[in-house]
Amino acid sequence: MKKRLTKIDSVEMFIVRLPLVSPFETSFSVQTHREALLLKIISDDVCGWGECVTSPDPYYCYETNSTALHIIKDFLIAIITAMKNFSIEEVLQNFEQIRGHHMAKAAVENALLDIMAQKYKIPLFELMGGTPKRIMSGISIGIQKNIDDLLLSIQKACDKKYHRIKIKIKKSKDIDILTKVRKAFPNIQLMADANSDYTLQDINILKQLDEFNLMMIEQPLNYNDIYFHGLLQKQIQTPICLDESIKNLNDAKTAVELESCKIINIKQGRVGGMINAKKIQEYCLNNDIETWSGGMLETGIGRAFNLHLQTFPGFVLPGDTSETSRYFTEDIVDKPVTLQPDGFIEIPEGPGIGVQVLSDRIDRFKVFYEKLV
Ligand code: OSB
Ligand code: MG
């Protein structure tokens, strides 16, 4: 990518607090709202948007909205405003001095990519070298109050023609639930996400997962672990998919060397943005690791980035890209994501990410605003 931006003209930050249609429960938290940190950057007379995938709490990873706000405001924006006539690759090189904080970096990179694509009047996927196609859908169903609610949610997802269904599990809400789900839905493409709730001590439970013909078990062990997942994968048939553990390309290489997983959930926010995500999917494609695009309950902004990302050939499995209405009654962009009758999703059309940010909705839902530049 030789394309360049001249200079940064303005930077604004917002936090919007959108109510979720229903609470989203995982092994680590119950979320009732999506509190999204948004970045609006203007450069070369073009306005781009980025969404940070952090939440208010550090329960999925150490980054939070507050840490991201701090890193963006006190470090990342200082870096980009000092640059003149720069490419986005050069921005990422300059970001390397700051260790970690991938979600903060991704939000800035996202906004710059949206600007760059609009400046050259092409869709984001084209700027990045993706191949346009309709995107497979998938839904992530949180832990439910009772089995009937779960079975009903799965039935609704099947009616919508979602291509695969993921259910959240945790210790003591696992084998019994999966048994009932499989009995009711013997043939659906099904997987489970443990969000790090188990240890190798739980090997007897984890071995029982093999009975359910799951596409994969996502992140069974510690959020930081790669080594012990390798030991586990050698003792179970169910393919392991890593989520939390993979924060960069080096982690993906370590997982391949240790045979820790067969699948990786690539969240572009978690790995420092679209360009790093592209590198990881390419590495995985060349090393027999299947990948899919995860989600972090993004608003329409982040959801659009996730759709463009899936135009790369490594994304061979349906991801956590669901309809907007599955989480929000009112989103902050037009158009919302919808499923076609066969469960596929169209990439938003037009230059950049292709969705229109609705300023009246931002005003209505915003709980924080600051103009940085
Ligand atoms: O582990 O994939 C996860 C949401 C928030 C934090 C972590 C995870 C999730 C999801 C939902 O599973 C994915 C989505 O629909 O955006
Ligand atoms: Mg996960």
Side-chain angles (χ1 to χ4, degrees), residues 246-265:
I246 306 296
K247 295 173 288 293
N248 51 44
L249 179 58
N250 191 58
D251 287 339
K253 289 181 177 174
T254 307
V256 167
E257 290 300 322
L258 296 175
E259 298 179 10
S260 303
C261 65
K262 299 193 169 128
I263 301 166
I264 292 179
N265 167 350

Side-chain angles (χ1 to χ4, degrees), residues 24 60 140 166 168 193 195 243 267 295-297 320 327:
F24 188 74
Y60 170 81
S140 174
K166 153 167 147 183
K168 295 287 191 177
D193 187 358
N195 286 110
D243 173 357
K267 292 178 180 165
M296 294 290 286
L297 315 182
D320 279 340
Y327 287 120

